Amino acid sequence: MADEARPLVEVRGLKKHFVKGRDIWGRPTSVLRAVDGVSFHIRKGETFGLVGESGSGKSTVGRCILRLYDYTDGEVRFDGQDLSRLGDKQLKPFRRRIQSIFQDPYSSLNPGMNVLELIGEPMNIHGLYPGKEERAEVIAGLLEKVGLKRDHLYRYPHEFSGGQRQRISIARALSVRPEFVICDEPISALDVSVQAQVVNMLEDLQDEFGLTYLFIAHDLAMVRHISDRIGVMYRGRLVEVADSDELYDNPLHPYTQALLSAIPVPDPRAEIRRIRYEPHDWTGEPAELREVSPGHFVALS
Amino acid sequence: MKNRLLEVENLHVSFHTREGEVQAVRGVSLHIDHGETVGIVGESGSGKSVTAKAILSLIAPPGEITHGDIRFAGESLRGIPERKWRTIRGNRIAMVFQDPMTSLNPVKRVGDHLTEVIRRHRGLGRREALAEAVEMLRLVGIPEPELRVRQYPHELSGGMRQRVMIAMALSCRPELLIADEPTTALDVTIQAQILDLLKELKAKTSAAIALITHDLGVVAQVCSRVIVMYGGMVMEEGPVEEIFYRPKHPYTQGLLRSLPKRGGSSRERLSPIEGSPPDLRSAPKGCPFRDRCPHAMAKCGTMPPMVEVGEGHRAMCWLNDTDAQSDDHAGSGTEGGEGNGG
């Protein structure tokens, strides 16, 4: 289903450095290289998974694509257009086409707004469905798409469970008919028994609306399940990119091997047989990504 | 009954809130034997953490233990004075909490955290206590412990802090270690190291471990027995192999089935449990899983009995009650026989 011709999203040499300290003249004295030269592309209609431990820079990449951060260097192209050069006004149409879902459904919804207002807010900003009745109808339809009911329209976030709140966040993201959705840990705050519901729903919505996803998560089993291709980040750099089955069956970078072998498997007999790689086996210099087999890139010197 | 270290019988814990009484734990009975590692599995709101806190008498108002008995090494812990608790809590029963970032005092050195416990419970002098603290840090795999005791918590990584918490918990050689989600806040590679440490400690010390988690993978890795909780009750308990390969409760079966299959190709559809966990403000009568259960029948409106389904394997479901099945078939609309788990 992926369109080979042109990638929808292209990230080239992305760098984001945070200044941690300045001297009395305001010159930076220490810098955190959160993202330090990351390049990848996402094809239309596919799901690209981004994994790595906390502090590896995976969420920062997502935020740079959204232009929530102004990045230090590099470029992000969406549908051929370089977003880094656009001003706020020119960026606005892209802000509609690129939406995001965040981890915590408790803090990402305004508690003073009801569901109608929450989902209607992005529509207001982008001037969609101005008619009151038409809008209520569209929002009710969206609610049904995400597995909620029409009579939830006038309720407030505190009346919903975590799983339901995440469904509201998803409806809110979809309300402006985006093409690309950045999902930053969308299921990690949810109960185990509810996670699979939300993942299934994200997949159904992708098929129905032809969405492209960037799926950022640390639950590696779930990332494999949902992603077509996966990038592994380590200390601000991509160390390996491959199709998800290829990556899990044939990981080449020592860090990927350590990460994958550390996933606990819900199967006691397999647990006994599991071979673990230690992450400190690898102390290489950062290297450029090289293609070692079709579509499988690894950064090894 | 000779080997029982801890026995919890028919425990009820309620929280009195403005919206009324929330029954967080509704009749939990469980036991932990000497030296074994038990996994207590459940999602948020299942009552697993409240049960652990009740064992240590850490339930504070508006919470209250309304009913039940807790026996440790044969003696009841209910209603004993706070003075006596101090000889048990942190000493014979120790606890490790989820968040290593907030459970250490930021203005105290790592060594002081440890020596405080050691001096209070074991009556050692300052110098011996410090030497012991260094030994404990070495035991939990912290490199250069002589330097680490002088550092402050913020100078340590999350994994290292969790090791310090475990060292503190183990410093009085407890008979029971309760670890509440000890790896949830950590990265998988660090989680793997902490779990290895727990496995190692199991071999080196004689402490029994109760590991509270929502992650079935963690349970499979370190536990020999599993207790599955839902809606404030124990749904199923048994040896780890029984629970993973022959689950008898529809909730356990559903939970195992909802995980992405290992080795299965990506994009295979998941089979979730529909619905959401019950609201314990108005706890449902009968089986708490009834509203989400694919096998729900009329009988589930009354509380099912805990039925022995195998060697040390018990499940609380009418499906396993042979007498009930024969006389209830006519009345049930959606019964579906044995589900196959995994």
Side-chain angles (χ1 to χ4, degrees):
Chain A
M1 65 176 154
D3 179 9
E4 289 288 335
R6 186 171 72 176
L8 184 68
V9 181
E10 277 179 279
V11 175
R12 281 192 208 143
L14 184 70
K15 287 186 184 171
K16 173 66 193 171
H17 297 174
F18 292 97
V19 175
K20 284 201 297 184
R22 290 178 189 274
D23 62 14
I24 54 168
W25 291 280
R27 293 177 303 202
T29 53
S30 70
V31 167
L32 175 77
R33 295 165 190 271
V35 177
D36 204 18
V38 164
S39 304
F40 62 92
H41 64 273
I42 308 176
R43 299 184 196 108
K44 198 166 169 41
E46 82 170 344
T47 301
F48 187 78
L50 206 50
V51 299
E53 57 196 63
S54 51
S56 62
K58 56 189 194 302
S59 289
T60 307
V61 169
R63 285 164 171 261
C64 285
I65 296 174
L66 284 165
R67 272 284 297 271
L68 289 177
Y69 290 146
D70 283 322
Y71 25 97
T72 313
D73 195 20
E75 61 177 42
V76 175
R77 284 182 178 273
F78 182 81
D79 205 6
Q81 172 72 49
D82 183 1
L83 299 183
S84 53
R85 299 184 191 289
L86 298 180
D88 281 350
K89 209 164 189 176
Q90 296 158 300
L91 207 53
K92 201 174 167 190
F94 292 97
R95 291 242 149 100
R96 179 188 71 73
R97 297 168 72 187
I98 307 175
Q99 289 290 317
S100 56
I101 304 165
F102 294 103
Q103 172 170 2
D104 185 359
Y106 290 88
S107 61
S108 55
L109 296 176
N110 183 339
M113 289 169 120
N114 66 28
V115 171
L116 181 72
E117 291 161 340
L118 280 168
I119 300 179
E121 193 184 27
M123 294 175 165
N124 265 338
I125 292 167
H126 293 288
L128 295 170
Y129 312 109
K132 207 172 169 189
E133 260 155 47
E134 185 198 8
R135 177 177 294 187
E137 199 46 46
V138 170
I139 292 176
L142 269 171
L143 279 184
E144 279 165 12
K145 284 259 183 295
V146 297
L148 293 172
K149 293 195 195 76
R150 209 164 261 270
D151 39 307
H152 287 144
L153 267 182
Y154 297 99
R155 298 220 194 150
Y156 287 85
H158 73 266
E159 298 175 65
F160 294 96
S161 67
Q164 288 174 318
R165 282 182 214 213
Q166 204 58 308
R167 289 168 192 267
I168 296 171
S169 301
I170 294 169
R172 186 174 145 96
L174 296 182
S175 67
V176 291
R177 293 171 299 181
E179 292 151 59
F180 178 50
V181 181
I182 297 177
C183 310
D184 191 353
E185 303 267 10
I187 55 164
S188 27
L190 304 180
D191 280 326
V192 189
S193 71
V194 177
Q195 290 185 352
Q197 293 173 9
V198 173
V199 166
N200 274 351
M201 192 183 69
L202 285 171
E203 290 178 344
D204 291 344
L205 293 169
Q206 178 168 44
D207 292 344
E208 185 171 346
F209 297 109
L211 297 170
T212 305
Y213 288 145
L214 173 63
F215 195 89
I216 302 167
H218 68 269
D219 179 345
L220 296 145
M222 214 45 115
V223 174
R224 174 185 193 174
H225 170 81
I226 198 167
S227 306
D228 299 299
R229 290 188 306 131
I230 295 174
V232 181
M233 282 193 73
Y234 182 72
R235 296 190 183 166
R237 288 169 165 269
L238 270 174
V239 294
E240 192 159 1
V241 180
D243 287 348
S244 52
D245 289 342
E246 165 75 8
L247 185 85
Y248 279 75
D249 296 338
N250 189 21
L252 295 175
H253 196 281
Y255 178 70
T256 313
Q257 292 169 349
L259 191 68
L260 295 181
S261 72
I263 311 173
V265 181
D267 180 342
R269 284 178 205 156
E271 271 302 328
I272 296 166
R273 292 192 303 267
R274 193 159 62 110
I275 304 160
R276 281 263 318 284
Y277 295 90
E278 293 296 329
H280 52 72
D281 288 352
W282 176 66
T283 49
E285 278 292 295
E288 292 299 309
L289 281 177
R290 270 188 311 124
E291 187 162 19
V292 287
S293 62
H296 192 157
F297 297 82
V298 62
L300 279 176
S301 37
Chain B
M1 301 294 125
K2 49 235 166 269
N3 249 336
R4 298 280 185 263
L5 176 64
L6 179 86
E7 283 179 278
V8 174
E9 217 175 278
N10 199 19
L11 180 74
H12 285 76
V13 182
S14 289
F15 289 84
H16 304 284
T17 66
R18 267 185 299 179
E19 285 106 57
E21 185 186 5
V22 178
Q23 300 178 356
V25 174
R26 306 188 292 147
V28 164
S29 300
L30 55 88
H31 65 88
I32 295 168
D33 291 343
H34 282 282
E36 73 170 343
T37 304
V38 181
I40 302 178
V41 190
E43 40 201 318
S44 49
S46 63
K48 56 191 197 302
S49 293
V50 176
T51 303
K53 285 191 175 150
I55 291 170
L56 281 166
S57 186
L58 290 175
I59 302 289
E64 186 197 359
I65 300 178
T66 50
H67 189 78
D69 195 18
I70 298 163
R71 282 189 302 280
F72 180 67
E75 270 181 78
S76 176
L77 297 180
R78 275 301 301 286
I80 63 168
E82 190 57 27
R83 175 184 288 273
K84 190 156 184 223
W85 258 116
R86 285 186 211 144
T87 65
I88 298 172
R89 197 189 290 134
N91 192 25
R92 299 180 66 190
I93 310 178
M95 188 151 177
V96 176
F97 294 96
Q98 173 174 350
D99 190 357
M101 309 300 161
T102 55
S103 342
L104 292 170
N105 185 340
V107 296
K108 269 169 73 175
R109 290 174 202 272
V110 167
D112 295 337
H113 281 95
L114 282 150
T115 51
E116 183 189 10
V117 186
I118 296 168
R119 294 182 68 192
R120 174 181 283 264
H121 289 299
R122 288 171 54 190
L124 294 182
R126 193 180 293 273
R127 192 159 301 163
E128 292 105 314
L130 193 64
E132 181 69 21
V134 170
E135 266 329 291
M136 290 311 301
L137 291 181
R138 202 188 308 279
L139 177 75
V140 297
I142 291 183
E144 302 178 281
E146 300 84 356
L147 294 176
R148 295 292 184 183
V149 288
R150 309 203 145 274
Q151 289 186 321
Y152 288 93
H154 76 269
E155 297 176 78
L156 272 59
S157 65
M160 283 297 157
R161 279 184 245 189
Q162 198 58 291
R163 283 166 197 256
V164 171
M165 294 299 299
I166 294 173
M168 273 170 71
L170 291 176
S171 59
C172 292
R173 313 214 172 89
E175 289 148 76
L176 175 63
L177 174 68
I178 302 176
D180 189 358
E181 304 265 12
T183 59
T184 308
L186 306 174
D187 286 316
V188 272
T189 47
I190 312 296
Q191 164 172 288
Q193 292 170 12
I194 297 286
L195 294 178
D196 280 350
L197 170 66
L198 286 180
K199 277 192 275 188
E200 229 175 88
L201 291 172
K202 198 160 75 167
K204 276 191 203 161
T205 67
S206 58
I209 301 175
L211 183 68
I212 299 171
T213 178
H214 65 271
D215 189 334
L216 289 162
V218 168
V219 170
Q221 203 176 336
V222 288
C223 297
S224 47
R225 207 155 60 78
V226 186
I227 295 167
V228 182
M229 288 188 67
Y230 185 79
M233 307 176 113
V234 174
M235 295 284 105
E236 182 166 10
E237 63 165 297
V240 69
E241 293 240 335
E242 285 280 313
I243 296 290
F244 278 87
Y245 301 126
R246 286 173 290 281
K248 291 292 184 198
H249 195 285
Y251 174 61
T252 319
Q253 292 165 356
L255 212 51
L256 287 165
R257 216 178 299 147
S258 72
L259 301 171
K261 283 188 191 57
R262 231 166 33 88
S265 70
S266 61
R267 285 300 184 138
E268 202 173 299
R269 212 169 159 72
L270 300 176
S271 336
I273 306 176
E274 296 304 335
S276 47
D279 183 355
L280 294 175
R281 272 173 296 192
S282 50
K285 274 209 171 76
C287 176
F289 189 58
R290 178 172 49 144
D291 292 343
R292 305 175 75 185
C293 182
H295 308 295
M297 44 188 164
K299 197 149 199 158
C300 299
T302 45
M303 198 63 82
M306 201 55 154
V307 183
E308 188 98 18
V309 290
E311 179 83 46
H313 184 183
R314 301 188 303 153
M316 197 184 85
C317 182
W318 286 115
L319 286 179
N320 299 308
D321 187 58
T322 36
D323 314 333
Q325 286 226 308
S326 48
D327 60 53
D328 198 73
H329 265 200
S332 65
T334 54
E335 53 82 27
E338 289 285 286
N340 48 335

